[in-house]
Amino acid sequence: PPELHDKVTIITGASSGIGAAIAARFAVAGSRVVLSARREEKLQQVAEEISRGGGEALVVPADVTRYAQVQKLVEKSLERFGRIDVLVNNAGHAVAKPLVESTVEEMDAQIDSNLRGVCYGCRAVLPHMIERRQGQIINIGSICSRNHYPDYAAYVAAKFGVLGFTRSVYEEVRRYGIRMNVLCPAAVNTAWR
């Protein structure tokens, strides 16, 4: 789409799956992309593919469950490109297991990556977008943002949270010309870790 040409887009969870596909599509449309995830080697592979296609990609490894790393991601993006036009909060994972068989660590990890990571990404990038009075945030939800499923309680809770969080924050920032959306895909054939 022409509206992405020459934009600067941060994509979390960009090392594989939906995130890597979004990065490739945005790059083809002319967006300069900042690729972030925990696995630097995988990010480099995605960046090389984008470069081969004529796009521009910056790799900034970060764990979205660590706010200091998310802040650093935003800072490095601004150092390189001078602005951030779009943030795609995509990082996340799920564990399919009945609640009584889930460990506390598994529950925490799903809530942290799927919800806390979205909250941190928005918190880190919004001061810049508010100052510029423009920006677009796309939070990747799920069909689980609207429907409940057995064996996915923590994941469903996190994705319901993404929808509510996005709607609430949008009411705070729309007066600055900032748009926020939640994309809610159904099942996708991709790895979740």
Side-chain angles (χ1 to χ4, degrees):
E3 62 269 17
L4 288 173
H5 183 71
D6 202 37
K7 299 294 186 187
V8 176
T9 303
I10 295 176
I11 302 139
T12 68
S15 59
S16 63
I18 292 172
I22 289 170
R25 288 307 263 310
F26 275 49
V28 165
S31 183
R32 293 172 286 168
V33 295
V34 181
L35 310 175
S36 189
R38 293 169 301 163
R39 300 175 295 176
E40 184 170 5
E41 186 177 310
K42 293 272 190 186
L43 288 172
Q44 293 294 352
Q45 291 170 4
V46 175
E48 287 168 16
E49 288 178 30
I50 287 170
S51 294
R52 280 195 297 273
E56 184 176 358
L58 170 66
V59 170
V60 182
D63 179 344
V64 297
T65 70
R66 306 282 184 243
Y67 187 68
Q69 293 184 32
V70 177
Q71 278 186 306
K72 195 62 91 175
L73 166 62
V74 168
E75 289 167 10
K76 288 185 176 183
S77 301
L78 290 171
E79 284 170 16
R80 170 75 173 267
F81 297 117
R83 69 177 202 275
I84 299 163
D85 300 294
V86 182
L87 168 64
V88 181
N89 278 311
N90 168 69
H93 81 283
V95 176
K97 211 185 258 194
L99 182 64
V100 296
E101 296 175 14
S102 300
T103 67
V104 170
E105 292 77 16
E106 287 170 334
M107 291 188 300
D108 286 348
Q110 289 175 89
I111 291 167
D112 285 351
S113 67
N114 291 291
L115 178 57
R116 190 184 307 272
V118 168
C119 297
Y120 285 175
C122 292
R123 177 62 184 86
V125 81
L126 275 171
H128 168 71
M129 289 183 173
I130 289 170
E131 184 180 340
R132 292 183 64 224
R133 301 189 72 85
Q134 64 183 33
Q136 167 77 49
I137 296 175
I138 302 165
N139 293 328
I140 304 300
S142 166
I143 194 170
C144 295
S145 297
R146 296 182 172 275
N147 301 311
H148 57 277
Y149 297 93
D151 300 334
Y152 289 94
Y155 180 76
V156 168
K159 292 301 189 178
F160 260 75
V162 167
L163 187 58
F165 174 83
T166 305
R167 288 177 170 172
S168 295
V169 176
Y170 174 67
E171 293 301 326
E172 299 173 12
V173 301
R174 66 182 183 166
R175 67 181 177 270
Y176 301 109
I178 297 166
R179 295 176 295 157
M180 295 185 69
N181 299 96
V182 179
L183 180 63
C184 296
V188 177
N189 186 15
T190 182
W192 285 11
R193 260 281 185 211

